[in-house]
Amino acid sequence: SAVISQKPSRDICQRGTSLTIQCQVDSQVTMMFWYRQQPGQSLTLIATANQGSEATYESGFVIDKFPISRPNLTFSTLTVSNMSPEDSSIYPCSVTQGRDPNYGYTFGSGTRLTVV
Amino acid sequence: AQTVTQSQPEMSVQEAETVTLSCTYDTSESDYYLFWYKQPPSRQMILVIRQEAYKQQNATENRFSVNFQKAAKSFSLKISDSQLGDAAMYFCAYRSKGAQKLVFGQGTRLTINP
């Protein structure tokens, strides 16, 4: 299965600023997924990033707040904009495990973001 | 919309014993996929086991097995011969056949007592 590297692994940011999170995969993948895991909570999908097209956002998430780039088949970034303490979460990215998405998904370790 | 419910926020088991984690889901679809993921303190989600809804046979992966009851919309995970390394958060997840999105339950924190 794919190996995912995320940077930074953690960060502490001031409210009102923005942070860009990187997700690098060791193989080419069609879709990359960005999730949010709020403290003590489960994972919620933010958006799906396809190479060469606009990201598809889930209900409750907007591009102005979480702009995503997908410049190639192995890399994506998620920006958390104009941060507030409510954005303090872990942000893992994910890709399909193997060629068949039915086999599940591989996750990165996530970026732990704390907004103060 | 599909929902996944894990009614046990925390579970504990003695090392070498067997424990079952519960998961129920709500869907109107007939074809879908179900997963159990493990999240250790390292935070990375690890796929434990998967089940295809159209298969009646319960999935098994070494010490991990599921009890899939489609009519009851239940998908429990049984861990046999529990080991200290099994301690983690366990998440049940649902995926529609035609979709890419995973819908996760709230998670169950499993503690293994030596």
Side-chain angles (χ1 to χ4, degrees), chain B residues 34-54:
Chain B
L34 296 165
F35 306 88
W36 277 98
Y37 279 89
K38 169 185 177 181
Q39 187 179 42
S42 66
R43 301 200 310 254
Q44 185 171 13
M45 298 282 279
I46 301 168
L47 178 64
V48 175
I49 199 166
R50 59 185 286 272
Q51 175 78 42
E52 299 170 44
Y54 65 86

Side-chain angles (χ1 to χ4, degrees), chain B residues 53-69:
Chain B
Y54 65 86
K55 289 187 177 180
Q56 293 185 340
Q57 186 174 5
N58 290 323
T60 299
E61 289 287 343
N62 300 315
R63 297 183 295 107
F64 299 88
S65 61
V66 299
N67 184 4
F68 174 49
Q69 301 291 327

Side-chain angles (χ1 to χ4, degrees), chain A residues 9-10 31 33 35 37 41-43 45 58 90 96-97 101-112, chain B residues 33 35 37 39 41-47 50 52 91 95 97 99-107:
Chain A
S9 60
R10 60 179 61 217
M31 292 184 177
F33 307 89
Y35 284 83
Q37 186 176 21
Q41 303 295 316
S42 184
L43 279 74
L45 181 64
E58 296 295 312
I90 298 172
T96 53
Q97 189 162 314
N102 300 329
Y103 282 92
Y105 296 77
T106 299
F107 287 82
S109 297
T111 294
R112 183 185 294 273
Chain B
Y33 302 87
F35 306 88
Y37 279 89
Q39 187 179 42
S42 66
R43 301 200 310 254
Q44 185 171 13
M45 298 282 279
I46 301 168
L47 178 64
R50 59 185 286 272
E52 299 170 44
F91 291 95
R95 177 181 157 266
K97 182 180 181 182
Q100 300 290 338
K101 175 182 178 180
L102 283 174
V103 178
F104 286 90
Q106 305 92 320

Side-chain angles (χ1 to χ4, degrees), chain A residues 41-63:
Chain A
Q41 303 295 316
S42 184
L43 279 74
T44 301
L45 181 64
I46 297 172
T48 302
N50 294 320
Q51 194 268 336
S53 63
E54 291 283 335
T56 303
Y57 288 82
E58 296 295 312
S59 176
F61 298 97
V62 295
I63 187 171

